[in-house]
Amino acid sequence: MSADLFDEMHAPDGSIRGAYRHYDQWLAEQDSAWMRRKHFEAESFFRRTGITFNVYGEENAEERLIPFDMVPRIITGAEWRKLTRGIEQRVRALNAFMHDLYHRQEIIRSGRLPERLFRHNRAWLPQMVGFTPPGGVYTHIVGIDLVRTGPDEFLVLEDNARTPSGVSYMLENRETMMAMFPELFTRVKVRPVSNYPRLLAKSLSNCAPACASANPTVAVLTPGIYNSAYFEHAFLADQMGAELVEGSDLRVIDGRVQMRTTHGFQPIDVLYRRVDDDFLDPLSFNPDSVLGVPGIMDVYRAGRITIANAPGTGVADDKAIYSFMSEIVEFYTGEKPLLQNVQTWRCADPDSLKYVLDRLPELVVKEVHGSGGYGMLIGPTSTRKEIAEFREKLRARPDNYIAQPTLALSTCPIFTRSGLAPRHVDLRPFVLVSPEGIDITPGGLTRVALKKGSLVVNSSQGGGTKDSWVLDD
Amino acid sequence: MLGRVANGMFWMYRYLERAENTARLLAAGHRMALTRGADIADEEWRSVLTTLGQLQQYKAQHDDFSGNHVCDFVLRAKTNQQSVLSMFERARINARICRSAITAEVWEAVNEGWMSLRDLLARPVRETSLNVALSAIRRESTLARGATHGSMMRNEVYSFVRAGTFMERADNTARILDVKYYLLLPSLSYVGTPLDTGQWDNVLRSLSGERAYRWLNAGRMDARSIAELLILDDRFPRSLAFCYASMRENLTALARLHGHEGPAHALMREADLRLTGRTVEDIFDQGLHQFLTEFISRNQAVAEAIAEQYRFNI
C-alpha cells in the first residue's frame, strides 16, 4: 500500500487514530480464535434472517448475501457534525433545484446550467412540469455517496435522489454487531440508528396530501420477491408498520389510489415506491409495465396521493448534472458549498474530452445515467484492450460520459484470516426530507471493496458492508 | 390487511401442515412395510400415494412400489411438484411474500426449516435414515407453528393462519380415513383378526392418534371407537370435529373484525352441522365413504368461499 493512502484506523506511524482508540483497546483484549469464530457466526446470522439480495443476470443466484465485515467503520462526532451541515445544504439545494427545473427554470435562464443537460435526460418527465408535489418535497429520501481522501477531506461521489437503497443493511449491520459484541457497545458510545424506520414513517406522513386523514395510510410499493432489493422493501414496510403492496394490489377508484384489502378497496395517502418511474404508470410511461398502477399519475397530479420520491427526481442522479452541483448549491442557497464534488470532466465538452482521451489509463470514466458500478471504466485496473474498446465508446458518444481522477479512497481495516487488512470504503448517509425539516441518521451504509486494492465497492461487484459508527463524543 | 397477503398466509400454513401430515403418513407406511410382508408393504405404499393424490403421477415414472422409490418421490423428486420439499419451499416463498405480516421469529423458523430440509433432502434418503428425515420434517413444521403461536398478534392475519392450518388438516385427516374407510366398516370389525388390528393401528399412527386412542380405550381396539376419535372427538387435535371447532372460532373472529358474516360462514356452518351432535352410528348408517367424500368437498367449498369473500385474488 502506498504511503499517500489514508487509512482511517492506522496512522502512517503505526499509531491508532482517535476515532478507533477505544475499539482498538477492546480488540487487543479479544482472543483471536474467538474472533474468527465470530466471523463465521455473522454469515449464518444473515442467512437465517434472510438478509439477501438478488443479482441480475446470474443463474441460480436468486438470493445472495452481501458479505458483512465485522470491523466497524468509525467517524468522530466532530467529523460527523461537519458532514451533516454539508449534506443538509446539498439536499436542500437538490430539492429547490427539482422544483425550479419543473417550474420557471431560473437556473437555466440565468445561464448557470445548459438547457441540453436535462432536455436529453431520460429521467426528465414532462408530466411533472408545473406540478408541485404535496408539501413541496421532491426528494423524500436521499442517499449521498461520500468518499474520503484524507483527515478532513470528504467528497461527494454521487447523489441518489431517485431511490437510494441499502438502509436495511445499515440497520441490520448494527443489530448484528450488537448481537455479536454486546460488551463492545458498553465500552464505546455509538449514536443509535434504530430510529430510522420510525423517522421515515413520520417524515412520509408529514408529506401526506391534503385529502389524507390525521393518520395517513402509508404503503411501500415493491416490484415483488424477485427484485434485488425485495428484502429491504419488506423490512422497511415491516419496521414502519406500513403495508407492502405490489402493483396488482392497487387500482385507481374514485380518484384515489386504493389497495385491495380483505375489507375491499382502501385509499393510500403516501406511496413509498421502490419501482422506477418508467414502470410506475403504464398509462403515462412504459405501457408494458405490470409493476405499476394504471392512472396513478392522474391521481398524483390531482394532489390526491404522495409519491415518494417524486417522479422525475432521477434527473438529479445524472452525473452530468452532478458536475454542476456546486453551481446548483450556490444558486439556491446563496452559500458556498460545504461539501465538494470529486473533480469531474464532462466529456461533452471538447477540451475535456481531449484531456480524458489522453489520460484514459489514469482515470475513472462513468456513464452519465449509469449506476451500480455497471458500464464504467477504471483506467488503472483495466487492460489495454478494455481501454481501447472504451475509447471507441467514448468517441462515439462523448456526451454519455464523465471522467474523474482515480481517487485514493480511504481505507478501513477488514477482518481476514491473517488479521486486519486495509480495504477501500465509501459511505452512504441516509437523509429524510419533509416540510418539518431534514433528518440525517448518524452513520449510514459503509460499503467496502473486499478485494485487495479494489476500488469498486458495489455489492453487485463483490463489495461488502460494515457497520458505520458515529461516536457520541 | 391486503387480500393478497391473506391468501399468502392462508396457503403458507396449508403447505406447512400438508408437509407435516405427509411425513406422518410416510412414517406410518414405513412402519407397516417393516412389520408386514412385501405384498402388504406394496399395497401400503400405494395407498400412501392414493391418499396424497400422487398415484397417477408416480405410476407414470415408476413400475414398482418400493419404499425407496415412493419415499424419494414423495419427499424430494424434482418431477413431483407436491413433494414435501416443494411444499416447504412454497411455504417459504409465501413467507417472503408476506414478510411484513409475520414476525421475525416465524420468518426465521420457516427459513431455517427450509434451509435444513433442503440440505437433508439434497440426496436420496436411505431407508436407514428415513425416520431421521421424517422427524426433521415434523420438527421444522412444529417449530414454525410454535413460533407463530408464541409471537404473532391475535389479529386478522392470525385468523387466516389458523383457518389455513385447520382447513388443510381437516382435509388431510378426511383423506387418510377415506383411503382406509373399508377397514373401519362395521362388518369387518367382527372379523377381528390380528391383521386388522395392525391396519387399524396404522390408521391411528398416520394421524398420530395412537396415544390418544390408548388413553381413551385402554386395551380395546375396534373400528367404531377409532372412527369416533378421528371424526367426532373434539379433544383430539387432528379430528375433523377439532378442526371445525377451530374453523368456527377463527371465522367468527374474522366476522367480528369485518362487522358481518358472509357466504364462507354459511358454508362452514353447514359443514360443521354434519359433525356436531352426530354419532358414529349415524355416520356409518349414511355410509362412511360417502360421508368423507362429502366432507372433503364441503371443506373445499369453504376454502373457496373464504378466498372470494376476503378478496384473495380479485
Side-chain angles (χ1 to χ4, degrees):
Chain A
M1 191 174 74
S2 68
D4 57 343
L5 277 184
F6 178 73
D7 187 82
E8 299 188 6
M9 181 166 175
H10 298 99
D13 63 4
S15 65
I16 299 296
R17 293 192 200 272
Y20 287 81
R21 197 163 295 138
H22 293 291
Y23 176 75
D24 182 67
Q25 280 164 8
W26 173 85
L27 189 63
E29 296 161 19
Q30 308 308 314
D31 173 56
S32 61
W34 181 77
M35 285 296 279
R36 271 197 295 280
R37 271 204 308 284
K38 285 282 172 191
H39 182 61
F40 291 108
E41 219 175 76
E43 173 161 334
S44 77
F45 181 86
F46 276 72
R47 282 244 179 253
R48 209 170 59 229
T49 50
I51 308 177
T52 57
F53 76 111
N54 307 345
V55 182
Y56 292 115
E58 268 192 39
E59 258 181 89
N60 299 324
E62 187 199 314
E63 294 163 30
R64 260 178 41 181
L65 286 182
I66 296 188
F68 167 73
D69 175 70
M70 61 187 196
V71 180
R73 197 270 183 87
I74 310 177
I75 295 164
T76 65
E79 285 165 351
W80 179 249
R81 279 187 288 279
K82 199 172 153 198
L83 269 181
T84 52
R85 282 194 295 274
I87 293 169
E88 195 177 325
Q89 180 195 48
R90 193 165 175 113
V91 168
R92 188 163 287 138
L94 269 175
N95 212 54
F97 173 55
M98 281 296 117
H99 186 270
D100 186 31
L101 215 48
Y102 286 115
H103 290 84
R104 291 183 49 81
Q105 304 190 330
E106 305 278 3
I107 194 164
I108 292 162
R109 290 164 199 248
S110 73
R112 306 278 190 96
L113 193 75
E115 187 176 12
R116 61 172 168 81
L117 266 191
F118 74 93
R119 278 285 171 228
H120 299 291
N121 191 309
R122 275 180 297 176
W124 161 263
L125 296 182
Q127 291 89 340
M128 289 296 289
V129 173
F131 171 72
T132 305
V137 178
Y138 284 83
T139 57
H140 305 78
I141 301 119
V142 190
I144 304 279
D145 286 356
L146 300 170
V147 294
R148 190 174 193 178
T149 54
D152 284 317
E153 286 104 309
F154 281 93
L155 301 170
V156 178
L157 189 61
E158 53 186 69
D159 302 289
N160 298 279
R162 196 188 320 233
T163 31
S165 64
V167 77
S168 56
Y169 296 96
M170 167 184 91
L171 296 164
E172 287 287 333
N173 287 353
R174 177 63 54 83
E175 287 299 313
T176 307
M177 284 295 279
M178 290 178 62
M180 291 204 305
F181 307 113
E183 80 291 358
L184 177 54
F185 287 84
T186 63
R187 295 266 294 266
V188 189
K189 287 298 245 184
V190 181
R191 292 187 57 188
V193 295
S194 56
N195 255 342
Y196 179 84
R198 204 178 50 76
L199 292 171
L200 173 62
K202 199 172 113 209
S203 186
L204 289 172
S205 296
N206 284 341
C207 298
C211 60
S213 68
N215 204 354
T217 303
V218 178
V220 178
L221 175 64
T222 175
I225 60 168
Y226 298 109
N227 183 267
S228 64
Y230 178 75
F231 163 75
E232 177 156 301
H233 308 161
F235 178 88
L236 288 175
D238 188 38
Q239 298 275 315
M240 285 197 287
E243 290 290 357
L244 179 66
V245 298
E246 295 181 11
S248 63
D249 298 319
L250 306 181
R251 200 183 292 170
V252 174
I253 299 171
D254 299 335
R256 301 288 314 266
V257 173
Q258 310 214 18
M259 57 182 171
R260 195 185 75 242
T261 74
T262 57
H263 294 259
F265 281 89
Q266 287 179 356
I268 291 173
D269 299 311
V270 182
L271 190 64
Y272 176 20
R273 50 81 180 231
R274 298 292 298 257
V275 166
D276 287 344
D277 289 355
D278 275 355
F279 298 99
L280 200 52
D281 185 347
L283 298 184
S284 296
F285 311 117
N286 182 350
D288 299 328
S289 171
V290 290
L291 304 178
V293 192
I296 190 176
M297 280 304 285
D298 293 337
V299 178
Y300 185 53
R301 289 187 48 102
R304 294 169 70 80
I305 190 168
T306 297
I307 300 177
N309 289 351
T313 50
V315 176
D317 291 4
D318 184 288
K319 294 188 176 65
I321 297 273
Y322 159 89
S323 69
F324 285 94
M325 266 317 279
S326 58
E327 285 89 340
I328 290 170
V329 170
E330 259 194 88
F331 188 78
Y332 296 105
T333 65
E335 302 159 4
K336 288 275 171 212
L338 300 170
L339 269 175
Q340 303 304 317
N341 271 2
V342 175
Q343 186 184 9
T344 302
W345 292 278
R346 306 173 195 119
C347 301
D349 164 21
D351 290 345
S352 298
L353 178 64
K354 184 175 178 306
Y355 179 93
V356 170
L357 286 171
D358 287 348
R359 290 173 181 74
L360 268 189
E362 315 157 17
L363 299 176
V364 175
V365 190
K366 297 174 177 172
E367 285 187 357
V368 290
H369 305 301
S371 67
Y374 293 105
M376 63 190 279
L377 175 87
I378 301 178
T381 61
S382 299
T383 63
R384 265 189 208 181
K385 186 160 167 282
E386 284 165 341
I387 290 175
E389 281 167 8
F390 212 89
R391 191 183 301 277
E392 291 317 306
K393 286 203 250 180
L394 199 49
R395 279 214 182 93
R397 284 194 62 195
D399 58 345
N400 194 37
Y401 297 94
I402 54 113
Q404 293 170 337
T406 307
L407 290 181
L409 294 193
S410 63
T411 57
C412 178
I414 64 164
F415 192 86
T416 71
R417 251 170 224 289
S418 47
L420 297 188
R423 292 292 186 272
H424 296 290
V425 290
D426 79 351
L427 178 68
R428 175 180 293 177
F430 292 94
V431 189
L432 297 173
V433 185
S434 83
E436 315 290 311
I438 291 177
D439 191 274
I440 310 172
T441 301
L445 179 68
T446 289
R447 297 185 299 175
V448 53
L450 295 173
K451 245 191 294 173
K452 191 173 176 182
S454 169
L455 292 167
V456 186
V457 297
N458 301 77
S459 56
S460 49
Q461 316 227 350
T465 68
K466 283 170 166 294
D467 188 16
S468 313
W469 292 3
V470 171
L471 297 182
D472 197 1
D473 59 4
Chain B
M1 75 185 288
L2 295 176
R4 179 175 55 84
V5 172
N7 183 36
M9 295 305 289
F10 186 77
W11 277 98
M12 171 180 164
Y13 284 85
R14 287 195 73 161
Y15 291 136
L16 285 173
E17 184 67 26
R18 196 178 297 177
E20 180 183 346
N21 293 339
T22 304
R24 238 179 265 283
L25 201 57
L26 286 178
H30 185 224
R31 194 183 154 86
M32 201 67 181
L34 288 179
T35 52
R36 302 292 159 135
D39 285 358
I40 290 180
D42 275 13
E43 199 39 54
E44 188 57 33
W45 288 126
R46 194 190 165 90
S47 92
V48 164
L49 290 165
T50 310
T51 310
L52 294 171
Q54 299 175 9
L55 183 63
Q56 291 312 318
Q57 221 195 332
Y58 178 87
K59 283 207 297 200
Q61 294 167 38
H62 296 278
D63 299 327
D64 61 61
F65 288 96
S66 78
N68 271 341
H69 285 161
V70 173
C71 287
D72 195 64
F73 183 78
V74 172
L75 285 176
R76 56 181 289 274
K78 284 212 166 55
T79 52
N80 180 7
Q81 300 203 331
Q82 304 286 321
S83 73
V84 167
L85 188 57
S86 133
M87 284 299 132
F88 241 91
E89 214 162 81
R90 291 190 210 184
R92 177 177 179 268
I93 288 178
N94 280 22
R96 270 194 93 192
I97 291 172
C98 307
R99 182 61 189 79
S100 55
I102 55 177
T103 57
E105 279 97 323
V106 172
W107 163 254
E108 284 176 27
V110 175
N111 190 37
E112 280 181 71
W114 170 76
M115 287 192 294
S116 94
L117 293 182
R118 181 192 52 182
D119 295 347
L120 193 70
L121 299 176
R123 280 173 303 283
V125 177
R126 298 150 69 99
E127 200 160 348
T128 46
S129 52
L130 181 63
N131 275 327
V132 176
L134 296 177
S135 42
I137 294 162
R138 279 211 301 264
R139 191 172 53 241
E140 298 303 350
S141 172
T142 303
L143 281 173
R145 196 170 46 239
T148 308
H149 183 84
S151 70
M152 298 263 295
M153 291 248 292
R154 281 0 184 215
N155 56 11
E156 195 182 3
V157 178
Y158 196 76
S159 298
F160 286 110
V161 163
R162 299 302 274 176
T165 303
F166 289 106
M167 186 116 265
E168 182 68 26
R169 187 179 294 175
D171 175 81
N172 295 175
T173 297
R175 275 174 205 280
I176 289 174
L177 283 174
D178 193 34
V179 171
K180 306 277 183 169
Y181 82 97
Y182 60 90
L183 295 171
L184 299 170
L185 293 181
S187 58
L188 262 170
S189 66
Y190 296 113
V191 181
T193 64
L195 175 79
D196 293 327
T197 54
Q199 294 270 27
W200 288 341
D201 186 52
N202 195 46
V203 173
L204 285 168
R205 281 179 189 280
S206 309
L207 292 161
S208 292
E210 71 277 17
R211 181 181 172 277
Y213 185 86
R214 278 200 303 273
W215 276 86
L216 291 166
N217 305 280
R220 275 187 304 127
M221 179 75 106
D222 61 82
R224 197 196 150 278
S225 17
I226 292 175
E228 177 151 40
L229 173 74
L230 301 180
I231 298 172
L232 295 177
D233 196 324
D234 62 9
R235 295 166 299 175
F236 176 59
R238 316 201 85 77
S239 75
L240 302 186
F242 183 94
C243 293
Y244 262 71
S246 301
M247 289 292 296
R248 235 171 19 236
E249 186 189 322
N250 288 290
L251 287 187
T252 306
L254 285 174
R256 225 181 8 252
L257 270 167
H258 285 248
H260 57 87
E261 296 198 341
H265 292 84
L267 286 168
M268 182 268 296
R269 222 166 262 124
E270 266 178 55
D272 195 29
L273 271 178
R274 282 163 176 77
L275 293 169
T276 43
R278 305 281 304 268
T279 63
V280 192
E281 283 73 19
D282 287 348
I283 292 170
F284 278 147
D285 283 349
Q286 182 196 350
L288 182 58
H289 176 59
Q290 201 198 328
F291 168 83
L292 290 167
T293 12
E294 209 181 286
F295 176 84
I296 291 170
S297 73
R298 281 182 191 281
N299 191 47
Q300 177 61 25
V302 176
E304 282 161 16
I306 291 176
E308 194 168 332
Q309 188 173 326
Y310 294 107
R311 320 203 62 142
F312 280 11
N313 299 303
I314 46 165

